[in-house]
Structures are given as structure tokens and as C-alpha cells.
Amino acid sequence: MDRADLVVVANRLPVDRVVDTDGTETWRRSPGGLVTALEQVMAKTDGAWVGWGGKADLDIEPFDFEGTLLVPVPLSAEDLKYYYEGFSNGTIWPLYHDVIAAPVYRRSWWDAYVRVNRRFAEAAAEVADQEGFVWVQDYQLQLVPQMLRELRPDLTIGYFHHIPFPAYGLYSQLPWRRQVLEGLLGADVLGFQRVADAGNFQRSVRRIFKYPTRANEIEVPAGDGGSRSVIAAPFPISIDAQAFIELSQRPDIRARAVEIREQLGNPKKILLGVDRLDYTKGIRHRLKAFGELLDDGAVTVGEVALVQIASPSRPGVEAYQDLRDEIELTVGRINGDYDTMHHTAIRYLHQGFPREEMVALYLAADVMLITALRDGMNLVAKEYVAVRTDNRGVLVLSEFAGAADELTTALLVNPHDIDGMKDLILRAINMPEAEQSRRMRAMRRKVLENDVEAWGRSFMKAVDAVRNKRATGAPIPREVKPTPRKKPRE
């Protein structure tokens, strides 16, 4: 098997398996945010991507896809139940999202997590070139960095954490807290979405291991009796802003945006929510606020419409099945109370859409509602801002989403404060165009400056600094250590 100087390790391969009506199997690029974020990084090299192929017990040989070597890691139905649905999404996901739902601690899940992480580490070790770089992605694979370091000490290892990292008071509840930190500290560079996440990680390391930390560096004992420096810093992820801008200029997509407004009965204002169906996204809180605005008579059906996209997510997890039932009951009740023969209060769509349709929806929406209870970043916020080349539209953004650190001229909302959310929704609906323009211009400038290519460059600059220190002993320059951003204005 060919070896690669850059290897990405993620839970999923960047492709979806498609079976045609005649039984022919092909692969197409996945539409997910991680794939999009890494697309430009991978395009600059003949790299490899290690990940699960998307189907239980799918055991196939590595293959080339558009210049990238894809290395499938087989997972059984039991692996998926215990490692993915169990430990990753029944233990780590709720714990790291501030225990919005109660995490479950099962030893059988942990055992599967260790076993599967080792399988990913072994696959990466086999495909990585001598002294290559391996970039591990996200919470499903937190043990891979240390396992990989033990297998291939010649490698430089990066890890990016796409979701929040919790405060020590929450993290300390994890029975395997030491093992997970040891796994992560196998990396040379650890990237987090927010200053607070990197700080939470460092505090956990200090509390549990007493390792010295200075700025964004952690001194970790090495096997030779010395120590090595690990960078743990914020590298807020972004989008390919230019690609979204180009889509927004296409005549067919702009025509589709007009058509969407017509299909909704040409209301004066369209509110839009776009989320995975997940309890962290605050969809229930958003619906409650909108329902109360209708109850109060502050908004009326026909004048204002809410479109809620809730793409399917983890249907095998009971908490998600319950959430879907609750949301659909709430939507049904509100629509039953307020719909007319010609207008619907909430257009609810439990399905995913291609990027072109999403851009048309962004262009059609007067107000974007992002009310996450906790979110690592939320790229939808940046996508909405990127396509609004007219400098119109209002972003209502949860202060608990990572994007709030950068998009400080959005209307920042505490989603737990229903009255406060109602006030901000009304303010967004009635915002003068001059204020919309001022706020949107500032946000668009931030998104265009800090796009996904800048994110990749920033992370790789830190990796190069670590490699240089290893080779020459030179200290890591301060400019590769991102400085904390200013606190958003209230």
C-alpha cells in the first residue's frame, strides 16, 4: 500500500457509498462540514484519509478517490452500537455538551471505544510515511494520538476537537478521565474551537496530572526522562466562504430563493432555523419562543413564517427518537392553533438538503435563528453570513455557540431566556436596513478573513513550529500560538 505524508483520521471516510438500481457500487463525496473543511487541506497534497466506510461489516481494500487514498476501517454492528452510539454519543457527547442530557457510563462501551480507537491508530500507522503528519479528528477518536505515538514515534500528530471541551467540574465525572487525557496528550498540537475550550482542557490536565502549562504549551513527560511540548490552543474552524459566495451569485439559485418566498405565501419576514436534530441545538426553545409570540399576537401567520430544517441525526439513539417526537408534536400543536387555509406558521422539514438548496434558503431568509444550548462552532451561522452579499438579513446567534466569539455584531441570545429570545426575534424582524447592513458587513469581513483556508494554515503553522523545535530545539514562536479573542460586547 502507498504511504502518505499527510494522513487524516476521522470516524467516517469523506465519501458515501451509493448502490445503483443494477447493484453497481460507486462513491460520491460527502456533504458534511468536516469534509468541506478539510477539502482544501487535502487538495494540496497526495494524502490519505482513514475512516469507517459507512456500513456495518463493510471490509474493503484501500482505494483512490479524486487523488486521495481512502483507507476503510471495518466496524461491526456491535462496534457501532457500543463505540459510536454508546460511548461516543451516549457518554462523551452529552458530557461535553454541559450535560444537557444525562451521560451514561458503561464499561462495555468504554472497552469498545478502546478497541475501535486502536484499530484506527493501527490503520493510520500503516499508511503514514516516515516522519509524516497525521491529523486526528474529533471526539470519537480521542485515544488515537497516544496509541499512534506508541506505534510510530517518528510521526508528528495533530488533533482537532470539533465539539466543546467541558469545564473540569463536568469532565471529572468521566470514570476514564485520565485515559482520555493521556490519549489526547499523545498529539503534538491540540486544536479547539474556543479559547474557553482550550482553557478547560489545560485546567483538566493541571488538576489530574499536575503537568506545567505556560500560555498555550503543556510540558508532557517523555519516555526518555525528559519532556516534550504540546500546543493546546484555539483554532476556530470556518468555511470555504468563496464557494458559498459563488453559489449565491448563480441565477438559478437566486431564482429559487424567490420561488421559496412565493411557496411560503410571500410573508413579510421569513425566519429560518437549520440544524441537525439534536438536543444541543435548542430547537425546542426556539419553537417555544415563536409559539409564544403567536400567542401574544406580536407576530401573525401570513406576516411572519418560520422554516425549520431538522436533518436526521442518530436515529438509533433513543434520546433522539424522543426529541423528534417532542418537536413534531410541538410543531403540530402550533400549526393546528394558528395555520390558515393559505398560510402555515411553521414549515417543518425533517430531511437534509443539498448545498444549492441551502444557499437558496439563506437568501430567502430575513432572519437566521441559531439558538444552540451548546455548540462547538456552528458553521451554518458563517454560511448564512457569507452568502448575504447584499448585506441584508439578521443573525440571531446563541452566545453558547463558538461562532459567537467571532460574529460579535450578531444579536447574541441566551436561549434559556425565552422572554429575551422573544425580544430579540422581534428586534430582528423590525431591524432597519441601515443597522442590518452595519452588522452584516462586520460579520462578513470576519468570515472572509478567517475562512477555512486560513484555519488550515494556522493549524499547520503550529505543526511546523513543533517539528522545528523537535529538530533544532528552537522555542515555539509566540505568533503560532493564537491569542485569546476580545470578549464579545454585550
Side-chain angles (χ1 to χ4, degrees):
M1 181 169 59
D2 293 336
R3 289 179 173 262
D5 187 57
L6 169 62
V7 180
V8 168
V9 187
N11 179 62
R12 287 287 301 270
L13 290 174
V15 293
D16 294 322
R17 181 168 162 269
V18 180
V19 181
D20 295 334
T21 52
D22 61 359
T24 304
E25 295 184 5
T26 57
W27 298 88
R28 68 181 175 201
R29 185 168 295 277
S30 302
L34 174 61
V35 175
T36 304
L38 292 174
E39 196 171 9
Q40 292 192 9
V41 178
M42 297 296 288
K44 298 184 188 316
T45 180
D46 293 328
W49 188 304
V50 175
W52 173 53
K55 181 182 178 184
D57 300 309
L58 182 67
D59 192 359
I60 56 177
E61 293 298 311
F63 61 97
D64 183 82
F65 181 85
E66 296 181 358
T68 299
L69 177 64
L70 302 187
V71 183
V73 175
L75 297 179
S76 67
E78 182 177 285
D79 290 334
L80 293 169
K81 181 178 180 181
Y82 290 173
Y83 144 79
Y84 183 71
E85 293 180 359
F87 194 80
S88 295
N89 293 309
T91 302
I92 293 295
W93 181 269
L95 178 66
Y96 284 25
H97 285 86
D98 293 357
V99 194
I100 295 168
V104 178
Y105 305 114
R106 291 184 182 165
R107 286 171 289 181
S108 59
W109 290 0
W110 166 252
D111 292 342
Y113 189 77
V114 174
R115 181 175 67 249
V116 171
N117 270 242
R118 188 166 302 282
R119 201 176 304 160
F120 276 84
E122 290 169 349
E126 186 176 348
V127 73
D129 206 352
Q130 189 70 20
E131 298 186 349
F133 172 56
V134 178
W135 197 356
V136 183
Q137 304 292 324
D138 222 4
Y139 66 103
Q140 301 96 341
L141 302 173
Q142 294 175 101
L143 306 182
V144 168
Q146 181 58 29
M147 291 175 172
L148 197 53
R149 181 162 297 281
E150 293 168 356
L151 292 167
R152 292 283 307 275
D154 61 293
L155 297 174
T156 304
I157 302 167
Y159 172 90
F160 190 78
H161 196 74
H162 293 259
I163 69 172
F165 195 91
Y168 179 75
L170 293 176
Y171 181 76
S172 62
Q173 298 175 24
L174 183 65
W176 306 279
R177 59 195 183 188
R178 293 181 66 89
Q179 294 96 314
V180 169
L181 288 184
E182 286 171 345
L184 292 170
L185 288 170
D188 295 291
V189 180
L190 288 159
F192 298 90
Q193 300 281 27
R194 308 184 80 167
V195 171
D197 296 324
N200 287 342
F201 175 78
Q202 289 201 21
R203 278 186 286 275
S204 291
V205 170
R206 287 197 298 269
R207 291 287 295 271
I208 293 173
F209 294 119
K210 314 298 185 202
Y211 294 161
T213 63
R214 184 180 66 258
N216 291 319
E217 283 188 76
I218 304 171
E219 289 300 315
V220 179
D224 58 4
S227 65
R228 61 184 183 87
S229 293
V230 174
I231 293 178
F235 298 90
I237 201 168
S238 195
I239 61 169
D240 184 351
Q242 195 58 44
F244 277 93
I245 291 170
E246 289 171 4
L247 284 172
S248 73
Q249 300 302 314
R250 274 176 37 182
D252 60 323
I253 292 178
R254 298 183 77 84
R256 175 61 185 145
V258 173
E259 185 180 29
I260 288 170
R261 295 193 72 95
E262 291 172 350
Q263 290 173 340
L264 293 171
N266 280 316
K268 288 185 178 178
K269 297 290 180 177
I270 295 175
L271 315 182
L272 176 63
V274 176
D275 311 89
R276 282 188 309 103
L277 187 65
D278 192 287
Y279 51 76
T280 64
K281 300 299 184 181
I283 301 173
R284 289 175 291 196
H285 300 64
R286 186 182 313 157
L287 294 177
K288 182 175 178 61
F290 187 68
E292 288 191 10
L293 287 172
L294 289 167
D295 287 339
D296 299 342
V299 299
T300 58
V301 173
E303 296 282 314
V304 178
L306 170 61
V307 177
Q308 176 62 57
I309 310 293
S311 57
S313 174
R314 301 171 190 146
V317 179
E318 185 177 354
Y320 290 81
Q321 297 167 0
D322 294 342
L323 176 65
R324 180 181 179 183
D325 290 343
E326 182 181 347
I327 287 174
E328 291 179 356
L329 282 170
T330 301
V331 170
R333 179 187 60 77
I334 292 172
N335 284 345
D337 287 344
Y338 295 102
D339 279 6
T340 68
M341 294 297 289
H342 302 289
H343 297 283
T344 295
I346 302 172
R347 186 67 60 89
Y348 172 78
L349 300 161
H350 179 60
Q351 53 196 276
F353 291 95
R355 185 183 291 187
E356 291 80 2
E357 182 74 357
M358 295 310 306
V359 171
L361 282 161
Y362 296 152
L363 292 173
D366 301 288
V367 179
M368 187 83 214
L369 298 177
I370 294 173
T371 57
L373 306 181
R374 194 77 165 88
D375 211 339
M377 176 53 63
N378 196 292
L379 295 179
V380 167
K382 295 186 175 184
E383 292 171 4
Y384 179 71
V385 168
V387 306
R388 298 311 303 234
T389 57
D390 59 355
N391 292 313
R392 295 290 182 269
V394 184
L395 175 63
V396 176
L397 177 61
S398 169
E399 61 192 62
F400 305 123
D405 285 0
E406 298 174 273
L407 307 182
T408 55
T409 56
L411 295 183
L412 298 180
V413 64
N414 174 1
H416 299 282
D417 177 6
I418 301 299
D419 286 335
M421 193 190 308
K422 289 164 61 178
D423 290 342
L424 279 182
I425 290 173
L426 289 177
R427 182 178 170 189
I429 289 171
N430 296 308
M431 185 178 290
E433 288 189 356
E435 184 179 355
Q436 290 182 37
S437 179
R438 177 178 60 79
R439 291 174 177 273
M440 188 60 73
R441 283 178 189 277
M443 289 189 288
R444 294 195 76 252
R445 186 163 53 247
K446 186 72 71 171
V447 169
L448 292 175
E449 289 173 357
N450 299 336
D451 65 358
V452 70
E453 189 172 357
W455 169 75
R457 280 199 312 268
S458 176
F459 196 95
M460 294 307 297
K461 186 176 181 181
V463 170
D464 290 341
V466 168
R467 280 176 155 169
N468 184 56
K469 180 174 182 178
R470 182 189 296 169
T472 67
I476 296 171
R478 291 197 62 84
E479 59 265 24
V480 305
K481 306 171 192 175
T483 53
R485 298 182 182 277
K486 294 180 181 179
K487 183 179 179 182
R489 289 177 293 178
E490 297 294 337

